[in-house]
């Protein structure tokens, strides 16, 4: 892409092809001989990281689509079946789901890098605008992908976001109905979102090709912001940039794998483990963290149409950046004022992200408005103004001069960059925690769980006892419909033999049929059957339980959580604390008070529970001492029951947790080795360049 | 890439490159495995493929039924005396896929023929009680099977497959 290549293959067969389709020459001139500024720092590896992430997302996405069912009645279940039954399905899903966050994390760094070093300035305007288009496409793709699991947050996220278009004057309602393919978000919506979610990544890939093309025409920008003038200013892409990018990708993989293997639910919303329910809106609709700043802008404007315009405007304004900032000096390194304001702007964005996750009330609204004004002021007032009044420091004569000036000082502190990245990542990503789940209630005390941490394993005894508690107590109202009897004999489970699981199954009556006479019949359960639910449908369950619907317990430990608050949620990222759900459950089961505190008005048919959000729970105290007999001598107390049944339910929610953590250790050992090797290889390769 | 420095320098560097490349290759290979393995039947499909029991009492002599096991149709034929005789009369050596009728049924249960109802040519489902041998006839490309499910005519290379099964009692079999 940088002019005709002089590359000539020697092999006659390749020569024959090359004369007819000069593809090897194109590859050679684009990715081998292509001159790249020799002073690029590690922020420049994010381009390669993003290409890598796009590949990962497309690959895992195509695979997940082989197992996913885009139907409103089956989507949620099919995702659970992927995670539970497909070989390595849990891994592929974690890669894809965390991958979306990693993709956005990388793109934000990439964008901020462009902003800081002025990579949008002449002659790279088109390159930058193509980037903005990619970013918009990514947002659309990410949003539609989040709808596919068809959990509560998927459904209500889809409702809220599509309703943005209802702000369009005159045609709003028509547009929204058209988007939905119905009178509300429903099956047609899910179907088309699936189709588009599959399509858009390939559109992104197409625009990425244009983006790279434009990059190779204009050449890469660099930290000094001066164009390469001579041979001395550049190094060939391969091996120099290639090895550096590989090392960057490898470091990034370490960060990514932390989520895949240890914190798969850190960035997700517990609500999304509850199947979509068009009749109940979750208390807080919180979009994925990467949309939060824009969500905050939307909410801080009191007018519907203006809010939507502002939100889209906040992205569109980026496309005009090359003309808003007309300063001749590219790199903020030599612009003392722009540099400071850049960091203020970064803080504004993170602040908006934080606010996007808070309930829209009180001080949050006011701060949100201030930050929204600052966001736009940065682009529309500050940058145009600075380009006129700021006096930049002199830039180096050439890239070679810049490199020489630096080699006198300390070499680039790679380790601290990586650590800074990790911390910044944790900060940014953790921001989403705040508004999640149970509020207005006492925080459950943290328990000690054998399954927490990187070496966590389930306590088999506790699981077997917990199964007994579930069977004798919980099962009279709560289903466990994603767990099959065969699971009881699987590795990482309660440790029963295949024969024991079959015997356990045969104690259940399972509905089957129709038989040759066309009638349904009951037969003893088989290992392949799932735990039968106590009620045939939600209506029957409500009728029998005073209007309340006892939730299915298959995913309950992942569907319940409580807010950890700042700074705990940051610390949790490093300590791998993921047990909000189990802690809450144990506390809830023991949290019943016979008498509500004075002044608390308990509604008819409810019971007072210290840990239940709002305290009035419809479930009567389910456990009492001595209720279930244990034959292994464990204490038959409510505390023990609660702990055992929660352990069992944690396994029920994630039967492959042990495999996940064990594989994680192996992957980390490998990645650390690879990263170290790549580091030294990179050093060796670059030794020739300096 | 070669420099004019000391002799051991390039070797040490080469070792580093080879080691890095090898480790990366191992990682890439290990990554491919889950991507390939996910295409295999998932755990619920495997579990659903567990053995099934079939009650033979409703099947009258001369009749047959079709049941499904692992998504495949299984023919269970209650053969008449005449059909059994026909199947045993032919010299085994004259068959395209030589197999005696005794080898294809369970001893003491000569009247029961249990075969996978999938043509060994290209997978169509043969029709029972059709064709020149009163066995099975495949309409796709005209393979003809006899009353023992053995290939007699047409493009199919081998006899209909006998699935793994056993008699739980005289009137009940377990397939799988
Ligand atoms: S498939 Fe039966 S004859 Fe070809």
């Amino acid at each position: 892409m940088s002019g005709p290549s002089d590359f000539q293959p020697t092999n006659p067969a390749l020569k024959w092809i090359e004369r007819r389709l000069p593809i090897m020459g194109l590859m050679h001139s684009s990715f081998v001989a292509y001159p790249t500024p020799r002073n690029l720092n590690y922020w420049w590896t994010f381009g390669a990281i993003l290409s890598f992430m796009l590949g990962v997302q497309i690959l895992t996405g195509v695979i997940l689509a082989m197992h996913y069912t885009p139907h409103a009645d089956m989507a949620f279940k099919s995702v659970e079946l992927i995670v539970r039954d497909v070989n390595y399905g849990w891994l592929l899903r974690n890669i894809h789901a965390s991958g979306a966050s990693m993709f956005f994390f990388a793109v934000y760094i990439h964008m901020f890098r462009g902003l800081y070093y002025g990579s949008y300035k002449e002659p790279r305007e088109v390159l930058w605008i193509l980037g903005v288009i990619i970013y918009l496409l990514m947002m659309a793709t990410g949003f539609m992908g989040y709808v596919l699991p068809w959990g509560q947050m998927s459904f209500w996220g889809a409702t809220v976001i599509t309703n943005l278009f209802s702000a369009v004057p005159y045609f709003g309602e028509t547009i929204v109905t058209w988007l939905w393919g119905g009178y509300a978000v429903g099956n047609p919506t899910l179907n088309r979102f699936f189709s588009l979610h599959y399509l858009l990544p390939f559109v992104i890939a197409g625009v990425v090709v244009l983006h790279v093309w434009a990059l190779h025409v204009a050449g890469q920008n660099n930290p000094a912001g001066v164009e390469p003038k001579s041979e001395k200013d550049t190094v060939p892409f391969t091996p120099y940039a290639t090895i550096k990018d590989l090392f960057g990708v490898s470091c990034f993989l370490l960060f990514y794998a932390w989520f895949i293997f240890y914190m798969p639910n850190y960035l997700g919303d517990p609500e999304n483990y509850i199947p979509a329910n068009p009749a109940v809106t979750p208390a807080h609709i919180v979009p994925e963290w990467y949309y939060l700043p824009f969500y905050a802008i939307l909410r801080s404007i009191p007018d519907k149409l203006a809010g939507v315009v502002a939100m889209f405007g906040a992205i569109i304004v980026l496309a005009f950046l090359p003309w808003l900032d007309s300063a001749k000096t590219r790199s903020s390194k030599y612009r003392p004022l722009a540099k400071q304001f850049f960091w203020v702007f970064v803080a504004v964005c993170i602040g908006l992200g934080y606010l996007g996750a808070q309930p829209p009330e009180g001080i949050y609204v006011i701060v949100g408005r201030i930050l929204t004004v600052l966001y736009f002021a940065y682009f529309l007032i500050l940058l145009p103004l600075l380009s006129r009044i700021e006096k930049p420091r002199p830039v180096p004569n050439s890239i070679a001069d810049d490199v020489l000036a630096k080699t006198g000082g300390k070499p680039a502190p790679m380790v601290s960059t990586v650590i800074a990245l990790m911390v910044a990542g944790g900060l940014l990503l953790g921001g989403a925690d705040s508004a999640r789940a149970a509020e207005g209630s006492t925080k459950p005390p943290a328990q000690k769980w054998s399954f927490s941490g990187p070496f966590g394993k389930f306590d088999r005894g506790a699981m077997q006892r917990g199964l007994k508690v579930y069977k004798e107590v919980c099962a009279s109202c709560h289903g466990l419909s994603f767990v099959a009897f065969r699971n009881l004999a699987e590795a990482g489970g309660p440790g029963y033999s295949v024969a024991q699981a079959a015997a356990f199954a045969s104690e259940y009556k399972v509905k089957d049929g129709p038989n040759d006479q066309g009638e349904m019949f009951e037969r003893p359960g088989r290992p392949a059957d799932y735990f039968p639910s106590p009620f045939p449908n939600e209506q029957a369950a409500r009728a029998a339980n005073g209007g309340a619907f006892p939730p299915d317990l298959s995913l309950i430990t992942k569907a319940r959580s409580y807010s950890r608050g700042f700074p705990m949620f940051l610390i949790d990222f490093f300590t791998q604390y993921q047990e909000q759900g189990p802690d809450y459950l144990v506390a809830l089961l023991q949290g019943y008070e016979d008498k509500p505190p004075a002044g608390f008005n308990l509604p008819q048919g409810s019971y007072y529970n210290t840990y239940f959000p709002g305290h009035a729970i419809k479930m009567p105290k389910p456990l009492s001492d001595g209720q279930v007999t244990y034959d292994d001598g464990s204490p038959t107390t409510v505390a023990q029951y609660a702990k055992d049944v929660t352990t069992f339910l944690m396994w029920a929610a994630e039967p492959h947790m042990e495999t996940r953590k064990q594989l994680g250790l192996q992957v980390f050992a490998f990645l650390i080795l690879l990263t170290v090797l790549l580091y030294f290889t990179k050093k060796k390769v670059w030794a020739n360049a300096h | 890439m070669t420099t004019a420095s000391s002799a051991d320098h390039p070797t040490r560097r080469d070792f580093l490159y080879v080691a890095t490349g090898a480790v990366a290759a191992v990682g890439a290979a290990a990554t491919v495995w889950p991507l390939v393995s996910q295409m295999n039947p998932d755990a619920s499909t495997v579990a659903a493929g567990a053995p099934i029991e079939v009650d033979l009492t409703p099947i009258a002599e001369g009749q047959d039924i079709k049941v499904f096991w692992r998504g495949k149709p299984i023919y269970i034929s209650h053969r008449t005396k005449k059909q059994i005789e026909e199947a045993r009369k032919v010299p085994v050596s004259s068959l395209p896929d030589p197999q005696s009728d005794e080898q294809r049924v369970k001893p003491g249960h000569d009247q029961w023929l249990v075969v996978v109802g999938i043509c060994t040519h290209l997978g169509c489902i043969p029709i029972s009680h059709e064709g020149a041998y009163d066995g099975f006839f495949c309409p796709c490309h005209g393979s003809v099977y006899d009353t023992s499910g053995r290939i007699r005519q047409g493009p199919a290379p081998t006899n209909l497959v006998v699935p793994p099964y056993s008699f739980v009692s005289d009137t009940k079999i377990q397939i799988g």
Side-chain angles (χ1 to χ4, degrees):
Chain A
M1 294 179 187
S2 46
S5 166
D6 48 6
F7 177 77
Q8 263 309 324
T10 42
N11 180 306
L14 295 181
K15 235 182 198 152
W16 187 89
I17 297 174
E18 187 68 9
R19 270 190 48 205
R20 285 150 184 87
L21 179 75
I23 186 157
M24 282 162 281
L26 180 70
M27 289 295 146
H28 187 266
S29 62
S30 306
F31 300 109
V32 180
Y34 176 67
T36 163
R38 64 164 61 218
N39 61 340
L40 297 186
N41 57 32
Y42 277 101
W43 300 115
W44 260 264
T45 59
F46 278 86
I49 289 170
L50 283 164
S51 316
F52 171 78
M53 283 313 302
L54 179 62
V56 167
Q57 290 302 82
I58 289 182
L59 186 66
T60 53
V62 166
I63 288 175
L64 289 170
M66 294 180 190
H67 304 280
Y68 169 78
T69 315
H71 186 282
D73 295 337
M74 290 176 271
F76 187 87
K77 188 166 186 192
S78 77
V79 172
E80 269 312 303
L81 293 186
I82 289 173
V83 170
R84 286 157 192 267
D85 288 340
V86 173
N87 297 344
Y88 297 98
W90 62 268
L91 176 61
L92 292 161
R93 198 223 172 173
N94 285 358
I95 292 176
H96 197 72
S98 325
S101 282
M102 294 302 111
F103 205 166
F104 275 98
F105 177 64
V107 91
Y108 283 133
I109 291 187
H110 193 65
M111 288 161 75
F112 277 124
R113 189 268 288 156
L115 205 56
Y116 184 83
Y117 292 111
S119 299
Y120 46 84
K121 287 171 191 267
E122 201 272 336
R124 299 187 180 83
E125 299 94 329
V126 172
L127 171 63
W128 174 262
I129 291 170
L130 286 168
V132 175
I133 293 172
I134 293 172
Y135 175 56
L136 274 171
L137 287 169
M138 277 175 66
M139 292 187 104
T141 312
F143 159 64
M144 288 192 266
Y146 192 62
V147 173
L148 301 185
W150 212 238
Q152 271 291 67
M153 225 19 114
S154 302
F155 184 90
W156 291 101
T159 303
V160 169
I161 300 299
T162 48
N163 263 316
L164 291 178
F165 294 92
S166 71
V168 176
Y170 306 115
F171 306 107
E173 289 304 318
T174 321
I175 293 175
V176 172
T177 310
W178 175 77
L179 283 174
W180 289 338
Y183 303 112
V185 172
N187 194 50
T189 325
L190 176 59
N191 260 288
R192 62 192 60 183
F193 277 19
F194 176 59
S195 170
L196 293 173
H197 182 69
Y198 203 114
L199 167 72
L200 286 185
F202 296 98
V203 178
I204 293 179
V207 185
V208 165
V209 169
L210 298 182
H211 190 67
V212 173
W213 186 7
L215 173 75
H216 284 212
V217 170
Q220 281 168 293
N221 185 26
N222 61 79
V226 293
E227 297 294 331
K229 295 192 183 86
S230 67
E231 286 272 293
K232 273 197 303 195
D233 291 344
T234 62
V235 285
F237 193 86
T238 302
Y240 296 98
T242 321
I243 191 69
K244 198 167 178 176
D245 284 347
L246 281 175
F247 174 63
V249 169
S250 189
C251 290
F252 190 77
L253 273 174
L254 278 167
F255 179 61
Y256 185 8
W258 189 261
F259 288 98
I260 296 172
F261 293 101
Y262 297 125
M263 306 296 282
N265 295 313
Y266 185 67
L267 300 169
D269 196 304
E271 286 279 345
N272 228 24
Y273 280 111
I274 303 171
N277 181 350
V280 183
T281 306
H284 291 289
I285 304 281
V286 185
E288 292 289 84
W289 68 268
Y290 35 85
Y291 302 127
L292 287 174
F294 303 103
Y295 195 59
I297 290 177
L298 169 80
R299 292 194 315 186
S300 54
I301 293 181
D303 178 74
K304 183 170 173 179
L305 179 59
V308 174
V309 169
M311 188 184 80
F312 284 108
I315 303 165
I316 302 301
V317 73
L318 292 171
F320 295 94
L321 197 52
W323 297 277
L324 290 170
D325 174 15
S326 55
K328 285 281 164 293
T329 310
R330 286 205 189 94
S331 173
S332 294
K333 261 166 83 178
Y334 309 105
R335 299 180 61 188
L337 289 174
K339 186 176 179 172
Q340 284 169 30
F341 283 113
F342 168 81
W343 290 110
V344 172
F345 176 70
V346 172
V348 166
C349 290
I350 293 176
L352 280 170
Y354 175 78
L355 291 171
Q358 303 310 314
E361 53 202 26
I363 181 79
Y364 295 131
V365 178
I366 300 164
V367 180
R369 288 189 184 150
I370 296 172
L371 292 188
T372 301
V373 169
L374 289 181
Y375 181 94
F376 284 103
Y378 177 75
F379 291 108
L380 301 177
I381 301 171
L382 188 85
L383 285 180
L385 195 68
L386 278 187
S387 357
R388 285 181 184 89
I389 62 163
E390 187 179 31
K391 225 179 105 44
R393 295 199 283 116
V395 299
N397 271 331
S398 70
I399 291 173
D401 281 2
D402 181 46
V403 175
L404 276 180
K406 232 190 264 152
T407 39
K410 255 184 18 175
M414 193 270 304
V415 180
S416 55
T417 309
V418 171
I419 293 173
L421 263 177
M422 300 269 283
V423 175
L427 259 167
L428 222 74
L429 306 177
D433 162 86
S434 313
R436 276 186 203 151
E439 51 173 40
S441 52
T442 320
K443 281 199 179 162
Q447 306 280 335
K448 267 206 120 37
W449 297 105
S450 65
F451 52 79
S452 65
F455 306 99
K457 279 202 175 3
F458 289 114
D459 175 346
R460 312 273 163 231
M463 285 162 89
Q464 300 195 350
R465 293 191 299 271
L467 172 59
K468 196 156 191 260
V469 174
Y470 167 74
K471 191 182 171 191
E472 292 179 19
V473 184
C474 319
S476 54
C477 297
H478 295 277
L480 196 63
S481 52
F482 292 139
V483 181
F485 297 119
R486 64 185 154 86
N487 296 139
L488 298 174
E490 276 162 16
Y496 288 111
S497 69
V498 174
Q500 280 172 315
F504 187 90
S506 65
E507 290 169 22
Y508 283 83
K509 287 263 165 289
V510 174
K511 225 187 176 113
D512 201 351
N515 61 13
D516 291 343
Q517 283 72 48
E519 276 150 24
M520 304 302 283
F521 58 92
E522 280 197 336
R523 57 164 176 78
R526 299 180 191 137
D529 292 321
Y530 290 81
F531 274 83
S533 294
F535 302 104
N537 51 53
E538 187 181 328
Q539 285 77 357
R542 284 192 191 279
N545 287 284
F549 177 46
D552 191 277
L553 297 185
S554 312
L555 285 165
I556 203 78
T557 52
K558 292 208 272 185
R560 294 291 180 272
S561 184
Y562 65 92
S563 177
R564 297 277 288 168
F566 185 85
M568 273 320 283
F569 71 83
L570 279 185
I571 298 169
D572 291 346
F573 175 72
F574 298 97
T575 58
Q576 299 187 357
Y577 176 80
Q578 287 261 281
E579 285 77 35
Q580 290 99 319
D583 284 351
Y584 168 74
L585 231 63
V586 165
L588 181 90
L589 289 170
Q590 303 176 72
Y592 284 86
E593 301 291 344
D594 293 336
K595 277 208 171 45
F600 186 84
N601 197 358
L602 198 63
Q604 191 67 44
S606 295
Y607 304 85
Y608 186 86
N609 191 305
T610 316
Y611 298 102
F612 190 71
H615 301 302
I617 189 170
K618 290 261 186 173
M619 172 170 76
K621 185 172 188 281
L623 296 165
S624 48
D625 288 346
Q627 191 178 359
V628 180
T629 52
Y630 279 163
D631 25 73
D632 64 352
S634 302
T636 53
T637 56
V638 170
Q640 186 68 32
Y641 294 153
K643 191 117 196 226
D644 290 345
V645 80
T646 303
T647 305
F648 171 70
L649 290 175
M650 188 65 233
W651 166 77
E654 201 187 343
H656 297 300
M657 182 200 273
E658 288 188 6
T659 321
R660 161 163 74 79
K661 292 185 172 178
Q662 281 157 14
L663 190 60
L665 286 179
Q666 295 167 20
V667 168
F668 265 89
F670 170 81
L671 280 180
I672 289 169
L673 173 68
L674 179 68
T675 309
V676 169
L677 281 172
L678 280 171
Y679 174 70
F680 285 111
T681 306
K682 184 244 148 197
K683 253 181 101 161
K684 274 263 153 53
V685 167
W686 278 80
N688 299 338
H690 291 307
Chain B
M1 293 296 294
T2 30
T3 48
S5 53
S6 67
D8 77 322
H9 189 205
T11 357
R12 231 174 49 211
R13 187 174 61 188
D14 289 349
F15 173 74
L16 179 63
Y17 291 167
V18 169
T20 310
V23 169
V26 167
T31 310
V32 169
W33 175 241
L35 307 181
V36 172
S37 168
Q38 53 83 22
M39 296 256 275
N40 273 319
D42 67 25
S44 66
T45 309
V46 171
I52 56 164
E53 285 192 350
V54 184
D55 180 16
L56 303 179
T57 36
I59 314 169
E61 193 170 302
Q63 279 191 336
D64 54 29
I65 62 161
K66 214 193 286 178
V67 296
F68 275 86
W69 175 66
R70 296 196 166 170
K72 293 177 181 157
I74 310 279
Y75 277 115
I76 305 174
S77 312
H78 191 169
R79 302 188 294 179
T80 59
K81 285 253 147 45
K82 184 167 155 273
Q83 285 177 312
I84 302 171
E85 263 162 38
E86 272 172 19
R88 301 202 163 174
K89 210 162 58 194
V90 260
V92 172
S93 55
S94 72
L95 297 172
D97 179 13
Q99 221 180 7
S100 73
D101 185 55
E102 287 84 347
Q103 282 175 292
R104 298 178 53 82
V105 295
K106 299 284 171 197
H109 302 285
D110 294 343
Q111 71 275 41
W112 296 107
L113 176 75
V114 180
V115 286
V116 177
I118 293 181
C119 181
T120 57
H121 181 221
L122 291 172
C124 292
I125 296 186
I127 306 164
S128 64
H129 294 302
E130 282 212 17
Y133 299 89
D134 191 27
F136 304 86
F137 170 72
C138 181
C140 283
H141 318 95
S143 289
V144 186
Y145 301 87
D146 65 13
T147 54
S148 191
R150 292 171 300 195
I151 180 65
R152 300 296 282 270
Q153 259 174 36
T158 54
N159 302 333
L160 291 180
V161 173
V162 177
Y165 75 98
S166 58
F167 278 84
V168 183
S169 70
D170 266 355
T171 57
K172 201 174 232 178
I173 58 168
Q174 174 176 309
I175 303 175

